[in-house]
């Protein structure tokens, strides 16, 4: 099977903790493609926007949140989305905040990542194959996609705050959710949260938020020539604050539900325009063709079964 899908879906959404479905969309069907790397975390939901435009939604941790971060089949997830025709991935994730100004309930569009996953997760489609590739990863997120998202997400959050003020009265609704940009995400292994020493170390390294899911997702999206961006929502302050209890799952869940509600609203509001931008292609210019010079020259040592496997995500180079 090639990556030329028949669903005409250009945008894929990956939902993280608390975000298990999208609002204001019409269910079309479930698809569950078997990729060379297995099945995705959950059947992918094909949804229709009011205009009829289709998008794909995938629950990263499975139906009912049954898959731990380290066990997420990220290669199958990204490959399955690519097989449907997806060209841009909008990923959501709950994160811990390593900075005072990034308060629980705030949104973050990171531009950098520090990898602390210890190499235990399969991080490349080229692992265990006879083909060697070195993808450029200096800017781990789609620069043009992140830039495109910034203004749209900021506008949705402002509208959400205005709506709340009207419903609850000015000032009654509490702190407004803020959007933070140009931040660095630390991706750790888990499933335990950070120690206090680790949390302080990540701050000293320049980390601004921390989660357990953005890698290898972003690396695999780059190898598949997909534009990828993370919309992160802060649930807690990790463990770095002195004289405070360390983060617990119970604390995270308090903020998770409201973050997920606003995230669904953000997605429902921007997906139509995002689809149009992807169709035009301007925000995809970094990723399109990016693997052409990352794959080491073909030789007789490249096994045919490996080429067939890689053709699933990169048919241009391996078909």
């Amino acid at each position: 099977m090639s990556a030329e899908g028949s669903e005409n879906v250009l945008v894929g959404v990956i939902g993280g903790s608390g975000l298990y479905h999208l609002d204001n969309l019409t269910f079309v069907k479930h698809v569950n493609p078997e990729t060379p790397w297995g099945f995705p975390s959950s059947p992918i939901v094909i949804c229709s926007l009011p205009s009829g435009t289709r998008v794909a939604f995938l629950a990263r941790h499975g139906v009912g949140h049954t898959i731990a971060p380290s066990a997420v089949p990220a290669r199958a997830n990204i490959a399955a989305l690519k097989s449907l025709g997806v060209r841009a991935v909008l990923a959501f994730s709950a994160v811990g905040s390593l900075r005072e100004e990034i308060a629980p309930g705030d949104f973050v569009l990171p531009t950098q990542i520090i990898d602390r996953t210890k190499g235990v997760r399969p991080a490349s489609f080229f692992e265990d194959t006879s083909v060697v590739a070195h993808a450029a990863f200096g800017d781990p997120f789609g620069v043009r996609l992140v830039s495109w998202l910034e203004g749209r997400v900021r506008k949705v959050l402002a509208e959400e705050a205005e709506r709340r003020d009207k419903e609850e009265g000015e000032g009654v609704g509490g702190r407004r959710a803020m959007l933070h940009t140009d931040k660095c995400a630390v991706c750790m292994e888990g499933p335990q949260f950070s120690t206090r020493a680790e949390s302080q170390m990540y701050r000293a390294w320049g980390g601004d938020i921390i989660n357990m899911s953005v890698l290898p997702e972003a690396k695999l999206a780059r190898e598949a020539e997909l534009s990828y961006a993370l919309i992160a929502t802060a649930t807690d302050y990790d463990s770095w604050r002195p004289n405070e209890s360390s983060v617990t799952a119970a604390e995270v869940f308090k903020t998770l539900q409201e973050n997920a509600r606003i995230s669904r609203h953000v997605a429902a509001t921007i997906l139509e325009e995002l689809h149009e931008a992807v169709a035009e292609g301007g925000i995809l210019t970094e990723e399109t063709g990016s693997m052409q010079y990352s794959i080491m020259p073909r030789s007789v040592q490249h096994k045919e079964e490996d080429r067939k496997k890689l053709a699933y995500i990169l048919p241009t180079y391996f078909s």
Side-chain angles (χ1 to χ4, degrees):
M1 177 179 177
S2 74
E4 299 300 322
S6 59
E7 299 297 336
N8 193 30
V9 178
L10 299 181
V11 177
V13 178
I14 298 179
S17 299
L19 186 61
Y20 306 116
H21 66 275
L22 297 177
D23 289 342
N24 303 323
L25 299 178
T26 302
F27 170 81
V28 176
K29 63 179 177 180
H30 284 109
V31 295
N32 196 26
E34 183 176 11
T35 79
W37 299 273
F39 288 98
S41 296
S42 66
I44 297 171
V45 182
I46 304 298
C47 306
S48 176
L49 297 168
S51 66
T53 295
R54 293 186 174 189
V55 298
F57 177 81
L58 171 65
R60 180 187 290 117
H61 297 287
V63 178
H65 202 119
T66 58
I67 305 174
S70 300
V72 169
R75 290 189 294 187
N77 288 348
I78 295 298
L81 290 174
K82 180 70 182 282
S83 76
L84 298 177
V86 167
R87 300 182 65 193
V89 175
L90 189 59
F92 287 84
S93 176
V95 300
S97 169
L98 297 171
R99 302 294 166 185
E100 189 70 39
E101 64 271 20
I102 304 176
D106 281 358
F107 281 62
V108 184
L109 283 173
T111 52
Q112 282 297 323
I113 308 173
I114 295 174
D115 189 355
R116 285 281 291 162
T117 60
K118 306 172 188 174
V120 302
R121 309 178 187 189
S124 172
F125 289 111
F126 296 87
E127 287 185 18
D128 302 319
T129 74
S130 58
V131 183
V132 176
H134 301 282
F137 204 58
D139 294 304
F141 301 100
V143 175
R144 289 180 176 83
L145 177 57
V146 171
S147 177
W148 185 94
L149 285 169
E150 180 178 348
R152 277 84 177 172
V153 175
R154 199 179 299 279
K155 179 181 178 183
V156 174
L157 293 181
E159 291 172 348
E160 174 69 15
E162 291 176 6
R163 179 200 62 77
R164 189 177 62 182
D165 285 344
K166 289 180 181 179
E167 292 181 358
E168 302 178 8
E170 189 73 34
V172 176
R175 184 181 182 276
R176 294 185 174 195
M178 305 293 291
L179 175 65
H180 305 269
T181 59
D182 197 26
K183 300 300 181 183
C184 178
V186 178
C187 189
M188 63 176 288
E189 193 57 60
Q192 298 82 6
F193 293 124
S194 308
T195 67
R196 293 187 186 278
E198 288 170 334
S199 194
Q200 291 286 2
M201 178 181 69
Y202 299 145
R203 281 168 47 82
W205 284 358
D208 299 298
I209 56 176
I210 183 165
N211 85 338
M212 302 178 190
S213 299
V214 70
L215 293 176
E217 216 168 71
K219 290 182 176 180
L220 296 166
R222 181 61 51 84
E223 287 188 347
E225 296 190 342
L226 299 180
S227 186
Y228 177 94
L230 180 74
I231 297 182
T233 55
T235 58
D236 58 85
Y237 277 114
D238 204 49
S239 299
W240 62 269
R241 285 172 126 195
N243 305 317
E244 281 197 13
S245 299
S246 58
V247 61
T248 65
E251 179 185 354
V252 169
F253 292 147
K254 290 179 183 178
T255 310
L256 201 60
Q257 187 172 7
E258 177 65 7
N259 284 359
R261 184 189 67 78
I262 299 177
S263 294
R264 289 194 297 271
H265 180 58
V266 168
T269 303
I270 68 174
L271 281 175
E272 186 73 65
E273 193 178 357
L274 177 57
H275 175 89
E276 293 176 2
V278 172
E280 292 172 359
I283 62 175
L284 304 176
T285 53
E286 308 153 78
E287 291 79 16
T288 302
S290 62
M291 291 298 292
Q292 181 177 0
Y293 301 109
S294 297
I295 302 167
M296 301 305 289
R298 180 180 181 182
S299 76
V300 293
Q301 300 303 317
H302 288 180
K303 297 178 181 178
E304 187 58 32
E305 60 264 33
D306 293 337
R307 294 183 58 81
K308 182 177 180 181
K309 182 179 184 180
L310 293 168
Y312 192 92
I313 57 158
L314 295 171
T316 300
Y317 312 122
F318 293 104
S319 292

